[in-house]
Amino acid sequence: MAKSFDVSKFRKDLTKSISGMSSGFNDPTDWISTGSYALNYLISGDFHKGVPLGKVTVFAGESGAGKSYFCSGNVVKHAQDQGIFVVLIDSENALDESWLQALDVDTSEDKLLKLNMSMIDDVAKTISTFITDFKAMDEEDRPKVLFVIDSLGMLLTPTDVDQFNKGDMKGDMGRKPKALTSLVRNTVNMIGSLNVGLVCTNHTYASQDMFDPDDKISGGSGFIYASSIVVAMKKLKLKEDEAGNKISEVMGIRAGCKVMKTRYAKPFEGVQVKIPYETGMNPYSGLIELFEKKGLLTKQGNRLKYVNLAGEEVLEYRKAWMVGEKLDLIMSEYDEKTAPVVNTDEVDLEQATVDQIEEATANE
């Protein structure tokens, strides 16, 4: 009689003998809001989640597009609200304490460690040293930690520094893209089974390809492949007053966000989030447009109509829909409203197989 295969022993032997290997699934258990319900949904498929721990998330865009506002501001603030310790690595020497505090970031030492670094090698060593010490701790003593790098695009390689010192500013022979790819790949592998996350900002440049007009993210394709979630951002001018009336003066930015890569929702979906200079971002910004696109809000004259699950109509002007309670209602009913409808006349749900239900849904 053949001896049964001892899976537990095999798993234990593998994880002991192969460095950096873990077994089982590493689905995210902790999510951090971006501060925008619409962007949260496009990234995670949930209005209240956002970016996960255990993964690498990149926000890439041109200067002034709102990358730091989301990553070093909103994400850090919401992480701290959940008791997550934040290590903020500033490579641009641009994150002033007063600016962070204005975004409700707690800059006290027990909540935030801010490091100023310019070298990719130093960032890699910092993360590697932290993970080594983190793994040496008992599991119940390990804190939840989020690394934020703002930004990857400003980090230097030893070649950059050497050429600057010699006054011979040639190209880096592709070393920087390789170094960034290596940094992200190694970090993804190290944090996958831990309650540690990495959120980065990066730069983009205009596409020269008429068939693919989206801005290109610096750092090379390998860096993008290694990242778990990629959000491309574009800076647009906000020319409207507090009441939503069109004016000629620029009152803020419209952050055009397109989720280029995610495993938790449909990719290549976009939203425009308004960030007025005076008041900051309304977390509901972009939701009305998202719900219109999904067919939940429909135009009726110069107003927008929503039919709730009870079959009751809610008819309001666009400005009135920005009141949180109304949009909260749609978010709470969203999954049921957008779920496929099964034809129960043709399929007995108590007896139906999965294939029958899928077939009935497809016919609908």
Side-chain angles (χ1 to χ4, degrees), residues 138-241:
D138 293 333
E139 281 196 39
E140 60 271 17
D141 295 330
R142 293 175 181 173
K144 296 174 183 178
V145 178
L146 175 70
F147 280 88
V148 177
I149 304 175
D150 193 355
S151 70
L152 291 175
M154 285 293 287
L155 290 173
L156 301 170
T157 65
T159 304
D160 295 324
V161 177
D162 186 54
Q163 288 176 346
F164 179 82
N165 292 335
K166 292 179 180 179
D168 185 15
M169 302 300 290
K170 296 179 181 177
D172 68 354
M173 306 294 288
R175 290 182 177 88
K176 184 171 181 177
K178 291 177 181 177
L180 287 177
T181 300
S182 177
L183 170 66
V184 174
R185 280 178 177 167
N186 279 286
T187 303
V188 166
N189 290 331
M190 286 189 292
I191 69 176
S193 60
L194 307 173
N195 256 336
V196 179
L198 174 61
V199 174
C200 318
T201 69
N202 201 7
H203 301 153
T204 59
Y205 58 92
S207 172
Q208 303 300 315
D209 185 349
M210 63 181 294
F211 299 106
D212 186 12
D214 289 331
D215 288 351
K216 303 305 173 190
I217 300 172
S218 61
S221 57
F223 156 74
I224 301 302
Y225 294 146
S227 304
S228 311
I229 297 168
V230 179
V231 181
M233 301 184 65
K234 198 169 186 66
K235 179 183 179 182
L236 304 166
K237 295 176 182 177
L238 177 62
K239 293 185 176 182
E240 61 180 48
D241 60 21

Side-chain angles (χ1 to χ4, degrees), residues 36-47 58-60 214 229-234 255-273 286-296 334 338:
S36 164
Y37 292 124
L39 184 56
N40 284 349
Y41 180 80
L42 296 186
I43 293 173
S44 66
D46 189 300
F47 293 105
V58 178
F59 286 75
D214 289 331
I229 297 168
V230 179
V231 181
M233 301 184 65
K234 198 169 186 66
C257 307
K258 180 185 272 189
V259 180
M260 307 300 291
K261 181 179 180 182
T262 179
R263 291 184 175 90
Y264 309 104
K266 181 183 176 183
F268 305 109
E269 294 277 307
V271 65
Q272 286 188 18
V273 179
L287 273 182
I288 290 178
E289 292 75 17
L290 175 62
F291 293 148
E292 283 185 290
K293 186 177 179 182
K294 300 296 183 180
L296 299 180
Y334 185 88
T338 57

